[in-house]
């Protein structure tokens, strides 16, 4: 049974309940004096506590996906990319497997998500469960890839598509993006309604070295998370899918720590991402117990930390040519003050739009209200690639598809809609 499978979770929970029931039933027999009854009581307590702790730990891991499989839990991760041929099965189909940087994976919890596309891929789209291999960083990260219906349609057979890299919070995992925020489900509906252009969406977690929170930072002598997101991941996607090669077709999107990453990635690497969405993200990265030392010691480490402070960058460095959408709430979110500072600090050629709710908190109930207008907004920022991919003479047919809230108001200047007048959002630039 897989580490995140429902069968394992239910089995462990049943065993925990059985241990508690057995302890209650046998306790009168163990209440006598003597060595054996005392050892029996101790054994019953230990076994019962362990079973309960295991059940709780498994439930937490299944929900937040600290570890996606047994090898990851035991530290038996692959160290180098390998080439995998395309195979059959519900989750095994991956676009173009050149280079083996995107590999088919098991469900990774995708089988527990409701509302995913079911039916012909050219009608409803498809979500693939994959592993993403970092050519430079050697990181191996789980991911889900949403492919819109147009990706499989004949008239788009040579077309490359824009890409959203959607990043979960920490602690958390890709399951939260599909299950709680319903990113692929919302994207499918918006594309069908003409409110979002056909877009490939890759869903990943912010850390490349779990359980450490790498915060999308290249750690001196440690995990190179920024390199993974700005070089390895785009290279991997371009090697396996028909996606745009120009940065104008790429955007980063995230909530909480994933939102922090999105802003950092776009502002520090505008040649990789030209737009960013941050739902309740932070504007500076600090060391804590989950991150360890991210920047190193001494003056060089202090300078690296300053460069990851986005308000400092706004004041001391030239503004990058990107667009950003930030979201917060006037009441209930700690980042509201910093969000307003960030909005007012924006200067040309950078543009900052916002979703400001009257009340909210740092949780999925808030982000579910924001995710739909945020997806629409970012779709308007991305350029649908004009370049096309050559089709070989004997081209195989597409693989058989697998089975797989209230909206906030976006404020700020918006571009012309890519596909429909219904993509318009309320536009009003915040004034400092």
């Amino acid at each position: 049974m897989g580490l995140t499978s429902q069968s394992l979770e239910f089995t462990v929970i049943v065993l925990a309940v059985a241990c508690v029931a057995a302890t209650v039933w046998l306790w009168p027999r163990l209440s006598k004096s003597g060595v054996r009854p005392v050892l029996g009581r101790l054994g019953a307590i230990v076994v019962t506590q362990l079973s309960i702790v295991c059940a709780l730990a498994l439930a937490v891991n299944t929900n937040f996906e600290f570890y996606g499989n047994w090898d990851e839990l035991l530290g038996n991760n692959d160290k180098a990319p390998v080439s995998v041929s395309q195979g059959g099965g519900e989750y095994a189909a991956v676009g173009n497997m050149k280079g083996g940087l995107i590999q088919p994976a098991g469900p990774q919890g995708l089988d527990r998500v409701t509302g995913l596309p079911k039916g012909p891929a050219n009608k409803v789209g498809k979500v693939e469960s994959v592993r993403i291999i970092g050519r430079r960083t050697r990181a191996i990260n789980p991911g889900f890839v949403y492919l819109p219906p147009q990706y499989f349609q004949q008239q788009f057979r040579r077309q490359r598509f824009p890409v959203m890299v959607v990043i979960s919070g920490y602690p958390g995992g890709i399951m939260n993006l599909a299950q709680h925020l319903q990113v692929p489900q919302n994207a499918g509906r918006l594309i069908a309604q003409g409110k979002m252009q056909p877009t490939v969406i890759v869903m990943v977690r912010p850390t490349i070295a779990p359980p450490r929170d790498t915060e999308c930072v290249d750690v001196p002598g440690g995990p190179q998370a920024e390199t993974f997101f700005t070089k390895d991941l785009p290279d991997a996607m371009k090697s396996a899918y028909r996606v745009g090669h120009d940065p104008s077709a790429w955007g980063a999107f995230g909530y909480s720590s994933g939102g922090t990453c999105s802003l950092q990635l776009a502002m520090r690497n505008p040649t990789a991402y030209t737009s960013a969405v941050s739902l309740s993200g932070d504007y500076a990265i600090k060391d804590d117990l989950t991150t360890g030392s991210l920047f190193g010691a001494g003056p060089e480490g202090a300078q690296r930390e300053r460069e990851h402070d986005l308000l400092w960058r706004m004041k001391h460095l030239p503004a990058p040519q990107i667009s950003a959408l930030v979201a917060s709430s006037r009441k209930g979110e700690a980042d509201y003050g910093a969000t307003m500072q960030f909005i007012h600090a924006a200067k040309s050629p950078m543009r900052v739009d916002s979703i400001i709710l009257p009340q909210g908190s740092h949780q999925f109930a808030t982000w579910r209200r924001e995710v739909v207008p945020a997806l629409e907004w970012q779709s308007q920022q991305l350029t649908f690639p004009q370049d096309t991919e050559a089709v070989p003479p004997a081209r195989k047919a597409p693989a058989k598809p697998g089975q797989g809230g209230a909206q906030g108001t976006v404020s700020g200047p918006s571009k012309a809609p890519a596909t429909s007048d219904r993509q318009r959002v309320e536009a009003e630039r915040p004034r400092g």
Side-chain angles (χ1 to χ4, degrees):
M1 289 182 284
L3 183 60
T4 60
S5 67
Q6 279 187 317
S7 56
L8 178 62
E9 185 179 359
F10 291 154
T11 299
V12 174
I13 291 173
V14 169
L15 287 175
V17 171
C19 286
V20 172
T23 299
V24 173
W25 179 260
L26 295 174
W27 197 258
R29 302 183 186 182
L30 301 173
S31 61
K32 301 177 182 179
S33 59
V35 175
R36 294 182 64 182
V38 170
L39 291 176
R41 290 196 295 271
L42 289 174
I45 292 172
V46 169
V47 170
T48 301
Q49 293 295 321
L50 282 176
S51 65
I52 293 173
V53 169
C54 287
L56 291 174
L58 193 61
V60 170
N61 182 71
T62 300
N63 187 56
F64 291 107
E65 211 172 85
F66 292 105
Y67 302 97
N69 52 60
W70 292 106
D71 283 337
E72 199 169 88
L73 175 64
L74 299 173
N76 299 326
N77 293 319
D78 294 342
K79 301 299 182 183
V82 296
S83 180
V84 177
S85 59
Q86 185 171 341
E90 186 174 350
Y91 301 100
V94 174
N96 180 353
M97 293 297 297
K98 293 183 296 185
L101 299 179
I102 299 284
Q103 302 178 0
Q108 301 185 127
L110 199 60
D111 52 346
R112 302 198 304 272
V113 179
T114 60
L116 294 177
K118 291 184 178 179
N122 63 352
K123 299 292 186 183
V124 297
K126 182 181 182 182
V127 180
E128 296 184 339
S129 178
V130 302
R131 299 193 316 160
I132 303 168
I133 311 299
R135 191 196 302 274
R136 300 168 185 81
T137 61
R138 303 286 176 160
I140 301 175
N141 245 14
F144 297 147
V145 177
Y146 168 76
L147 301 171
Q150 291 79 3
Y151 190 90
F152 302 95
Q153 293 171 4
Q154 182 69 13
Q155 62 268 36
F156 291 95
R157 68 188 184 281
R158 296 180 56 203
Q159 182 63 55
R160 295 190 176 122
F161 289 80
V163 184
M164 291 185 191
V165 177
V166 183
I167 309 170
S168 71
Y170 178 92
I174 53 177
M175 271 288 291
N176 290 339
L177 296 170
Q179 187 173 42
H180 297 303
L181 282 194
Q182 297 200 324
V183 169
Q185 299 92 319
N186 283 316
R189 283 191 290 270
L190 291 172
I191 292 171
Q193 295 167 5
K195 296 180 179 180
M196 179 176 165
Q197 61 182 324
T199 304
V200 171
I201 300 176
V202 54
M203 292 158 270
V204 290
R205 61 191 181 188
T207 178
I208 67 167
R212 183 178 184 180
D213 182 9
T214 52
E215 288 281 353
C216 297
V217 171
D218 279 353
V219 181
Q224 303 294 289
E226 186 172 14
T227 297
F228 176 84
F229 280 100
T230 58
K231 295 181 180 179
D232 283 349
L233 187 149
D235 283 355
M237 289 296 295
K238 292 169 188 177
S239 76
Y241 296 98
R242 300 194 318 276
V243 295
H245 287 201
D246 191 85
S248 64
W250 285 74
F253 185 119
Y255 70 88
S256 191
S257 293
T260 304
C261 280
S262 297
L263 286 178
Q264 294 277 341
L265 293 172
M267 288 190 66
R268 290 172 54 83
N269 304 273
T271 58
Y273 299 96
T274 54
S275 72
V277 171
S278 174
L279 310 181
S280 304
D282 293 325
Y283 301 92
I285 294 176
K286 303 291 185 182
D287 291 344
D288 59 30
L289 292 176
T290 64
T291 65
S293 177
L294 292 173
F295 307 106
E300 292 182 355
Q303 179 60 25
R304 279 192 288 266
E305 184 172 352
R306 278 192 295 272
E307 291 176 357
H308 282 274
D309 184 328
L310 300 185
L311 292 174
W312 182 91
R313 294 184 71 90
M314 291 276 213
K315 184 176 181 180
H316 295 92
L317 299 177
Q321 189 168 349
I322 66 166
S323 54
L325 174 67
V326 293
S328 187
S329 304
R330 291 187 181 89
K331 292 183 179 180
E333 290 204 66
D335 72 334
Y336 173 69
T339 298
M340 298 310 297
Q341 289 182 51
F342 184 80
I343 293 170
H344 296 317
K347 55 188 177 183
S348 182
M350 182 177 175
R351 191 182 74 229
V352 178
D353 299 343
S354 63
I355 298 174
I356 303 297
L357 299 178
Q359 187 167 343
S361 55
H362 202 79
Q363 59 172 309
F364 286 106
T366 299
W367 302 323
R368 279 193 290 268
R369 299 174 62 191
E370 299 163 343
V371 66
V372 169
L375 286 169
E376 290 185 55
W377 178 90
Q378 186 156 72
S379 178
Q380 294 175 18
Q381 315 310 310
L382 302 180
T383 301
F384 201 90
Q386 298 301 306
D387 56 334
T388 57
E389 191 169 273
V391 179
R395 187 174 182 271
K396 294 182 179 180
K400 186 177 179 180
Q403 308 293 323
Q407 300 182 9
T409 301
V410 179
S411 62
S414 60
K415 294 184 179 180
T419 57
S420 169
D421 288 342
R422 288 181 293 175
Q423 289 179 306
R424 292 194 182 115
V425 293
E426 180 181 346
E428 180 180 351
R429 175 178 290 281
R431 301 185 181 275

